[in-house]
Amino acid sequence: MYLTIKTIHLSLLSLSFIIFFSRGIMMLLKNPFYRHQIFRFIPPLVDTLLMVTGITLMIITEQYPTTQAWLTVKLTALVVYIVLGVIALNRIDNRRIQSISFIAALTTLFFMVSVAMTHQPLGIFSVLFS
């Protein structure tokens, strides 16, 4: 069960990344398709399923944000990623702010992945402080 849910979770993460990255590139290239109606339905669906599988994994492994520092950091970074993604793709028509938010969102996403992979609150930076 665990391995199946984890595989689904990682597949959804990959799909979510591909959608976000593609939309961000379209935004940077000034292609208006990044605001197409399909993106009002598909990304929220994928991201909701991603959250459901993440919560399921948390329950299966009995690792909770209140007891696991790395998970607290990962979920905090998730909130930052969501806010930056909304700024980059939905709320502001200032290309500079959108571009900075997009790059910051991608950086936050990569940090989140490193936290998840290492199970360390500093993620990839944990090697610098060990």
Side-chain angles (χ1 to χ4, degrees), residues 16 22 25 33 39 52-53 55 59 66 68-69 74-75 79 82 85 87 94 99 101 105-106 110 112 116-117 121-122:
S16 180
S22 300
I25 296 300
F33 187 71
F39 295 121
V52 167
T53 57
I55 291 167
I59 292 167
T66 55
Q68 300 290 322
K74 183 181 169 194
L75 292 176
V79 172
I82 290 168
I87 292 169
N94 181 316
S99 300
S101 297
L106 289 175
F110 291 130
M112 270 192 313
M117 290 177 68
L122 294 176

Side-chain angles (χ1 to χ4, degrees), residues 23-94:
R23 288 182 73 197
I25 296 300
M26 285 187 279
M27 177 269 300
L28 292 174
L29 295 175
K30 299 181 180 178
N31 181 336
F33 187 71
Y34 82 95
R35 288 191 175 171
H36 190 272
Q37 265 186 318
I38 195 165
F39 295 121
R40 293 183 197 267
F41 174 72
I42 300 296
L45 175 64
V46 170
D47 293 341
T48 299
L49 293 172
L50 183 59
M51 287 287 281
V52 167
T53 57
I55 291 167
T56 303
L57 287 171
M58 188 174 64
I59 292 167
I60 290 171
T61 61
E62 298 181 355
Q63 294 184 19
Y64 305 103
T66 55
T67 60
Q68 300 290 322
W70 71 270
L71 195 50
T72 303
V73 170
K74 183 181 169 194
L75 292 176
T76 302
L78 175 61
V79 172
V80 172
Y81 169 72
I82 290 168
V83 169
L84 290 168
V86 167
I87 292 169
L89 298 178
N90 295 325
R91 298 288 178 222
I92 294 178
D93 282 329
N94 181 316

Side-chain angles (χ1 to χ4, degrees), residues 110-123:
F110 291 130
F111 173 70
M112 270 192 313
V113 169
S114 79
V115 169
M117 290 177 68
T118 63
H119 286 203
Q120 297 292 321
L122 294 176

